[in-house]
Amino acid sequence: MSHSRRLSGRKIAVLAADGFEKVELVVPLRALRVSGADVEIVSLRKGRIRGVNLHMPATRVGVDKVVTDTDPDSYDGLLLPGGFINPDLLRQSAAARDFVRAFDHSDKPIATLCHGPWVLASAGLLTGRTLTSWPGIRDDLVNAGATWLDREVVRDRNLITSRGPQDLRVFVPA
């Protein structure tokens, strides 16, 4: 089997809402699909969600499934893109928190970067974990029980985290 199709047969959920950082969804999504993964966008509502490019509105992305109607057991891994609006909306949703918790309880890979780990904090998953994020939310993650490191990529069991768009070239292969 070629290295480029190493995720063939794997199904990945991308949990995102309005205000996702465009490059943090689009770049890993493309890489996952090139690697052979079947990727679905899961969100809080049907239709299309609006990305941002820093503070400016960016392209919309179509939603494949609504989180309340989606079984986390049907996926092999989870991507949580950042942006500062997207994870703030997700962390307020009980269904989104439950969805993320299910991946962690099954030890399935969760890849997240920038402000994405906010959702992990709100889901109560960071006690004793080591990760990185956008530096601005470090205190939130530490207060949620995590050890925070200033590195391009941090792996802790099933968690893969990065600081933000500047780390995508290292985050995507990880």
Side-chain angles (χ1 to χ4, degrees):
M1 185 178 252
S2 80
H3 183 66
S4 65
R5 304 291 291 173
R6 69 188 182 281
L7 295 179
S8 197
R10 302 286 187 180
K11 194 170 175 188
I12 309 297
V14 178
L15 182 61
D18 284 313
F20 64 87
E21 188 66 42
K22 182 186 171 186
V23 293
E24 295 175 10
L25 186 151
V26 174
V27 173
L29 175 73
R30 190 180 308 129
L32 287 165
R33 286 187 171 148
V34 164
S35 293
D38 174 14
V39 187
E40 291 184 336
I41 307 290
V42 179
S43 193
L44 302 175
R45 60 173 175 79
K46 291 180 173 149
R48 296 173 77 69
I49 51 175
R50 165 84 65 192
V52 294
N53 203 338
L54 295 173
H55 303 285
M56 300 304 294
T59 50
R60 290 179 187 267
V61 171
V63 172
D64 297 306
K65 299 257 174 80
V66 176
V67 71
T68 47
D69 305 329
T70 305
D71 180 5
D73 292 340
S74 63
Y75 297 95
D76 300 299
L78 176 66
L79 170 66
L80 278 169
F84 57 95
I85 301 164
N86 161 56
D88 196 47
L89 291 172
L90 292 174
R91 70 193 301 203
Q92 294 176 62
S93 160
R97 294 190 307 269
D98 288 344
F99 190 76
V100 171
R101 252 183 235 119
F103 282 86
D104 194 58
H105 293 333
S106 304
D107 268 334
K108 291 178 183 174
I110 299 173
T112 184
L113 70 168
C114 196
H115 290 71
W118 255 349
V119 184
L120 304 178
S122 293
L125 300 177
L126 296 184
T127 304
R129 304 304 296 268
T130 300
L131 72 163
T132 193
S133 69
W134 189 254
I137 67 166
R138 179 190 68 188
D139 293 347
D140 300 329
L141 304 182
V142 169
N143 289 335
T147 298
W148 191 90
L149 304 176
D150 186 11
R151 294 202 189 134
E152 290 177 318
V153 171
V154 176
R155 287 173 182 267
D156 179 357
R157 298 195 330 257
N158 62 322
L159 283 187
I160 300 164
T161 53
S162 280
R163 297 171 299 194
Q166 73 276 19
D167 298 327
L168 276 170
R169 62 182 173 70
V170 183
F171 176 73
V172 168

